[in-house]
Amino acid sequence: MQKRRLGKQGLSVSALGLGCMGMSEFYGPGDEAESIATIHRALELGVDLLDTADMYGPFKNEELVGRAIRDRRDRVVLATKFGNERRADGTWVGVNGRPEYVRSACDASLRRLKVDVIDLYYQHRVDPTVPIEDTVGAMAELVRAGKVRYLGLSEAAPATIRRAHAVHPISALQSEYSLWSRDPEDEILPTVRALGIGFVAYSPLGRGFLSGQIRSPEDLPEGDYRRNAPRFQGANFAKNLELVEHLRALAEARGVTPSQLALAWVLARGEDIVPIPGTKRRKYLEENVAAASIRLTPEELARIDQIAPKGAAAGTRYPEAGMKSVNL
């Protein structure tokens, strides 16, 4: 597994990370034993970047990851997030970037993860009611206190990124990026590259749609978050399925899976980009990791651009309420 640098502060991670969210919530029921086995297999394969957040579960995902890495902490680059505040019963409180909350959220994450330090600490969503300078100032205090090593933002707008980076160096920006979510190419990627900030791509498989495994909305488990996502509904679903079918044909011609083609495309977008596909099963993890060794030709990349140009996906990334909290 090759390594990639995130930012200029010294953070080095595997070229492919593992998103752990679905092990605890949003994508149907989980299996803790298989989830922990998947994390252990990821480490065996050289995947060292594990991505979680306090809101996943809520709280349960950090606890699960903590159990999984208990005896192998030195092999992990541990990333977690604060800012999407939820109660223990799962109810939504709101986005919170207040300095006092930053400090308490970090302490709570350290307890759940059972670690002394978080390697990469993200603000999960920007709080429009709190100056970013105040939030990042509190995050910088955590670095000075030795509780956090590197700082990140998620779904932040270019102006916010610049203001945050002026307070304390930001090592990584995490935002959605895939063949059906190419918005970051317009302003976000040029901004982080100008500042020397790494880019972590979440949902690089379009929440599983680009895997080709989802043929109809009924393929999603009851209670799966995606049943309410615009891109998985009605006419949007049908149009997006056509896009996936074109990608499937190209993948078959290359002798790879649609997932591997989609991940290889993200990896080819730049050495400063690290995709973090999520899975809770070892077989899909192994399939994803194999994508790191695929090199797409210029002709293949051009063909992919024809199939999935910017704006090709039908429907917004999130329902209306969720879209209001991104790119702030």
Side-chain angles (χ1 to χ4, degrees):
M1 175 62 67
Q2 294 181 337
K3 305 284 276 189
R4 292 189 169 185
R5 293 177 66 85
L6 291 176
K8 296 180 177 179
Q9 293 72 50
L11 179 57
S12 175
V13 302
S14 51
L16 202 75
L18 174 61
C20 299
M21 179 187 78
M23 297 175 178
S24 301
E25 196 179 15
F26 299 114
Y27 293 167
D31 177 334
E32 178 161 326
E34 177 62 19
S35 293
I36 289 177
T38 299
I39 291 173
H40 290 172
R41 182 63 177 143
L43 297 175
E44 290 172 3
L45 294 171
V47 174
D48 60 12
L49 177 61
L50 302 182
D51 185 271
T52 182
D54 56 4
M55 76 163 284
Y56 303 157
F59 315 132
K60 295 184 178 71
N61 196 240
E62 285 186 328
E63 293 169 349
L64 184 153
V65 171
R67 286 191 290 274
I69 68 171
R70 181 177 54 222
D71 58 349
R72 54 202 83 193
R73 174 67 178 98
D74 59 339
R75 297 164 59 186
V76 174
V77 178
L78 184 58
T80 191
K81 315 177 198 74
F82 75 92
N84 279 329
E85 189 178 0
R86 296 174 72 190
R87 299 183 183 90
D89 63 3
T91 54
W92 173 250
V93 178
V95 176
N96 193 340
R98 294 192 300 275
E100 61 273 18
Y101 179 73
V102 176
R103 292 186 284 268
S104 65
C106 179
D107 288 342
S109 287
L110 289 168
R111 286 194 300 272
R112 286 189 290 267
L113 292 161
K114 291 184 167 56
V115 297
D116 298 323
V117 62
I118 294 163
D119 296 310
L120 176 57
Y121 199 41
Y122 293 101
Q123 182 182 18
H124 207 161
R125 289 292 185 270
V126 174
D127 185 344
T129 69
V130 178
I132 192 66
E133 291 82 359
D134 294 354
T135 303
V136 175
M139 295 168 72
E141 291 176 8
L142 299 174
V143 176
R144 290 191 289 271
K147 296 179 178 181
V148 170
R149 290 197 173 104
Y150 301 98
L151 300 185
L153 301 175
S154 181
E155 291 286 4
T160 304
I161 297 167
R162 293 189 193 96
R163 288 168 55 195
H165 194 64
V167 174
H168 185 281
I170 300 299
S171 296
L173 176 80
Q174 182 177 143
S175 289
E176 184 171 353
Y177 187 47
S178 71
L179 278 169
W180 75 345
S181 293
R182 296 183 60 173
D183 300 348
E185 294 173 6
D186 293 332
E187 296 182 28
I188 298 295
L189 280 170
T191 298
V192 296
R193 283 172 169 159
L195 297 171
I197 298 170
F199 186 92
V200 175
Y202 77 80
S203 293
L205 296 177
R207 297 180 174 80
F209 208 118
L210 296 174
S211 71
Q213 300 291 321
I214 302 169
R215 314 296 300 165
S216 77
E218 286 66 44
D219 290 338
L220 301 171
E222 286 293 333
D224 191 303
Y225 147 81
R226 292 169 291 186
R227 283 179 174 253
N228 297 314
R231 290 184 177 176
F232 288 80
Q233 295 180 327
N236 289 343
F237 188 102
K239 184 173 185 296
N240 292 329
L241 194 59
E242 289 180 20
L243 183 153
V244 171
E245 288 306 309
H246 290 305
L247 292 172
R248 182 198 297 275
L250 186 58
E252 288 178 355
R254 176 61 194 264
V256 301
T257 68
S259 291
Q260 290 170 334
L261 183 76
L263 288 173
W265 178 86
V266 175
L267 286 162
R269 303 305 288 177
E271 292 290 320
D272 55 348
I273 296 178
V274 175
I276 51 167
T279 184
K280 49 191 173 183
R281 297 181 181 90
R282 281 169 285 183
K283 68 172 183 175
Y284 294 128
L285 167 79
E286 291 168 355
E287 177 184 335
N288 292 343
V289 168
S293 62
I294 296 170
R295 299 292 177 266
L296 299 173
T297 67
E299 294 75 21
E300 287 169 329
L301 290 168
R303 179 66 182 132
I304 291 170
D305 271 340
Q306 289 178 331
I307 293 170
K310 263 184 284 189
T316 56
R317 297 194 280 134
Y318 292 102
E320 185 178 356
M323 291 303 297
K324 290 179 179 177
S325 69
V326 299
N327 199 33
L328 295 180

